[in-house]
Amino acid sequence: MNEHRTPEEQRLLDEQYVALALEEAQAAGAAGEVPIGAVVVYEPVDRGTCRPLAPSTRPS
């Protein structure tokens, strides 16, 4: 869990990621592929403070 989010905010975000993973699994199964259903979540952090980078400073 990210220390800069409330537990409720983190729970909602986690639910969104799980929903995305399930969608990917369903799409893979429908295409005849192995339905693993995974998403990679990347949240860049500042090396000095280990805090998430502000959206305006994130690499493109």
Side-chain angles (χ1 to χ4, degrees):
M1 181 170 69
N2 184 309
E3 64 188 43
H4 304 288
R5 292 188 188 105
T6 67
E8 179 65 15
E9 289 171 332
Q10 187 64 50
R11 185 185 66 77
L12 292 172
L13 191 58
D14 290 346
E15 287 177 358
Q16 290 173 352
Y17 293 142
V18 169
L20 285 173
L22 290 172
E23 287 176 25
E24 291 297 322
Q26 290 170 343
E33 299 175 357
V34 177
I36 294 174
V39 294
V40 175
V41 178
Y42 172 70
E43 186 173 276
V45 296
D46 180 281
R47 288 184 175 180
T49 64
C50 294
R51 293 186 176 163
L53 292 176
S56 62
T57 61
R58 292 182 182 179
S60 300

